[in-house]
Amino acid sequence: MISLRKYLFAGVVTLVPLLVVAALINWLIEVSDKTVALLPVGYRPDAWIGMDIPGMGIILALVFIIIIGALTTHFIGRHLMRLVDRVMGRIPLVRNVYNATRQLLESIFGDGSKAFKEVVMVPFPNQGSLVMGFVTGESPLQVSEGETTRVAVFVPSTPIPTTGWLLFVEASELKHLDISVEEGMKLLLSGGAVSTPGEKKTN
């Protein structure tokens, strides 16, 4: 009986994630196909190639994203992106979401140097507990005269890290983690379920 329960649990753990991924892919294909169906008949992919291919909307979306990425890496594209950043930066509420999302994506898909510099543990919300955060730079603020340098640390919420807390922590209170920003972000997004190969550095 114990073996049957063990096998049942193992089967559920194996199949459910696969079914969830399959359902998500199927949903994306359906949404993309419905989106493509909104195009005029002459502009639909099946009119070009003479047959209907499921998921063509996803392929077109990827091609569109790659084209946009290629354009934004050149001079004209960078100029347009700076213009978009300025416009978004002037809209209340929208600028907070836009900047946070942009910083998050840069930290995940970029080299991490633009947004987050290092993964650390800091005491928060009290001295008895630690949370993981990302160093963004030295703080320009000085709470009291003669105080040691404080470090700006962004502590994202989990599992949706587009919001969080900005802490100004004394450098001596930081516990440095020997993991990359990408590994730290994966750990954060998984709610701690994904392990990382890094170990804590000794201060």
Side-chain angles (χ1 to χ4, degrees):
M1 189 66 179
I2 296 178
S3 296
L4 289 177
R5 186 179 302 172
K6 178 181 178 181
Y7 296 153
L8 176 62
F9 177 75
V12 170
V13 171
T14 302
L15 291 177
V16 169
L18 295 176
L19 293 175
V20 170
V21 171
L24 178 60
I25 293 175
N26 182 67
W27 177 78
L28 289 174
I29 291 176
E30 290 181 354
V31 171
S32 65
D33 289 344
K34 290 179 181 178
T35 303
V36 171
L38 298 176
L39 297 174
V41 177
Y43 292 93
R44 296 177 187 175
D46 54 351
W48 308 340
I49 58 181
M51 60 183 299
D52 184 21
I53 300 178
M56 181 58 70
I58 296 178
I59 298 175
L60 292 177
L62 290 175
V63 172
F64 177 74
I65 292 172
I66 291 173
I67 292 174
I68 294 298
L71 291 176
T72 54
T73 56
H74 292 80
F75 174 76
I76 297 178
R78 289 196 298 268
H79 181 73
L80 290 176
M81 283 308 303
R82 285 195 293 268
L83 178 61
V84 171
D85 289 342
R86 285 199 296 269
V87 172
M88 290 295 181
R90 294 177 180 177
I91 304 176
L93 299 180
V94 173
R95 62 188 174 195
N96 297 332
V97 177
Y98 176 80
N99 291 333
T101 304
R102 184 178 178 86
Q103 186 180 60
L104 173 64
L105 293 177
E106 285 179 349
S107 68
I108 296 176
F109 296 105
D111 56 10
S113 60
K114 293 182 179 179
F116 305 136
K117 296 178 173 58
E118 186 183 3
V119 187
V120 296
M121 300 288 282
V122 294
F124 181 79
N126 52 58
Q127 290 294 332
S129 59
L130 294 172
V131 295
M132 188 177 71
F134 300 90
V135 174
T136 59
E138 283 194 4
S139 170
L141 305 177
Q142 190 175 29
V143 178
S144 60
E145 187 176 353
E147 184 185 54
T148 58
T149 302
R150 287 182 177 265
V151 178
V153 179
F154 176 63
V155 177
S157 57
T158 183
I160 305 176
T162 53
T163 61
W165 297 266
L166 178 61
L167 308 180
F168 299 105
V169 186
E170 290 187 9
S172 59
E173 295 184 355
L174 298 179
K175 296 184 182 297
H176 303 271
L177 297 179
D178 190 16
I179 60 176
S180 66
V181 171
E182 182 181 0
E183 290 172 336
M185 192 59 65
K186 289 179 181 178
L187 182 64
L188 179 74
L189 292 173
S190 68
V194 175
S195 60
T196 59
E199 296 179 355
K200 186 176 69 174
K201 296 179 182 178
T202 56
N203 291 329

